[in-house]
Amino acid sequence: MTTTPGGTGRPPIVDLATWQAARDELLLREKAHTREGDAIAAARRRLPMVEFDGFVEVTGPDGPVPFIELFQGRDELIVYKHMWYDGAPPQGQCEGCTTTAWHLRDAVYLNARGVSFAIVTTGAWDEVAEYVAFMGYTQPWYSVRDIEGPAGGPMGYLTSYLRDGDRTFLTYSTTGRGTEPANPTMALLDMTPYGRGETWEDKPDGWPEGRHACWYWRTDADGNSTWGPTSRPTAQWTRPGATPVTTLGRHGTYH
């Protein structure tokens, strides 16, 4: 069937049978993508691992505790390593890490599978505790300030660990777009006609040009997307006491 334009910047209009045929053709590629993802996951399970000192002390709400306690008695642990700006108020903390942590507020299904989850960051614990309280987070949070990897180290990573009795091992770590499985908003946007609305995306002629990557992760008090000094990470506007701001309060780079 000959298609009819749906309008400027819109998909063409077709009948249901034509749409189904195109959908079925794409489904073949999606299934191949899924199978390749399964193969990569199988290879990931075959990676070697690195033993490290699981009794190095991290700091949480009850003071210093050995890292091994993050396993909560389970054998597997996933940790998100949250970037931190020293001395910055909540609105100045990392917008990307806020996006990830907000999507990982409940680990009940991980726990049911025998996997624990925690968030670590390099911030001083007093600052971190105030931020966690403001955000209303219930995940276990810990400060790994001045602690080297694998327990600490660079932030912005999803990292997996294995425990064997009193021994702890690093098994996997990823950063950048590798952390997207923890952020389902990305995958959902990829299902929409306009995608993430970012300039790097391959899109048909006439589609909205898009903006810089992750442009909607910060908004001002009126809901306008901006990364300027009047913005907060978008999720923060849902928190009690989140008021308009005039500064991010950042005094240096994150770590």
Side-chain angles (χ1 to χ4, degrees):
M1 174 183 175
T2 302
T3 60
T4 305
T8 303
R10 294 184 176 87
I13 299 172
V14 298
D15 59 43
L16 183 58
T18 303
W19 175 87
Q20 189 64 59
R23 176 67 190 95
D24 290 345
E25 182 179 355
L26 179 60
L27 182 61
L28 296 175
R29 297 178 62 187
E30 290 178 332
K31 286 182 175 293
H33 177 73
T34 298
R35 287 192 291 270
E36 178 61 16
D38 291 342
I40 291 172
R44 190 180 293 122
R45 289 190 289 272
R46 288 165 172 78
L47 284 174
M49 60 185 183
V50 178
E51 187 168 8
F52 68 98
D53 180 9
F55 289 89
V56 61
E57 288 191 335
V58 301
T59 303
D62 297 322
V65 297
F67 181 86
I68 198 170
E69 285 199 11
L70 275 60
F71 284 84
Q72 298 176 321
R74 302 181 179 96
D75 290 339
E76 293 180 282
L77 168 68
I78 296 176
V79 168
Y80 182 69
K81 297 185 174 182
H82 195 293
M83 296 175 183
W84 193 260
Y85 288 89
D86 283 341
Q91 70 265 19
Q93 294 303 334
C94 179
E95 46 283 319
C97 289
T98 300
T99 304
T100 300
W102 190 260
H103 282 83
L104 289 169
R105 301 180 72 186
D106 194 328
V108 63
Y109 282 102
L110 289 175
N111 296 164
R113 164 57 182 76
V115 180
S116 291
F117 174 75
I119 296 178
V120 304
T121 186
T122 54
W125 178 250
D126 289 347
E127 290 186 11
V128 174
E130 290 182 3
Y131 179 74
V132 170
F134 171 79
M135 295 299 295
Y137 286 144
T138 58
Q139 319 100 318
W141 277 67
Y142 296 89
S143 170
V144 291
R145 195 173 188 85
D146 300 324
I147 295 176
E148 299 295 326
M155 298 291 105
Y157 284 76
L158 271 173
T159 304
S160 296
Y161 303 91
L162 182 68
R163 181 178 71 90
D164 183 6
D166 289 339
R167 302 174 69 186
T168 53
F169 304 87
L170 165 70
T171 61
Y172 179 72
S173 190
T174 186
T175 189
R177 293 191 63 186
T179 66
E180 285 187 5
N183 187 345
T185 291
M186 298 296 197
L188 291 174
L189 286 174
D190 286 343
M191 294 181 182
T192 66
Y194 295 148
R196 304 183 190 191
E198 299 176 359
T199 55
W200 63 269
E201 292 175 289
D202 181 357
K203 53 184 74 70
D205 292 340
W207 251 235
E209 292 184 2
R211 298 171 62 179
H212 62 82
C214 315
W215 56 269
Y216 53 92
W217 286 5
R218 300 189 70 98
T219 55
D220 64 18
D222 296 320
N224 301 307
S225 296
T226 175
W227 281 46
T230 63
S231 71
R232 289 181 178 275
T234 304
Q236 289 189 7
W237 292 109
T238 68
R239 305 309 305 152
T243 57
V245 295
T246 58
T247 176
L248 301 186
R250 294 175 177 174
H251 307 292
T253 57
Y254 61 78
H255 60 90

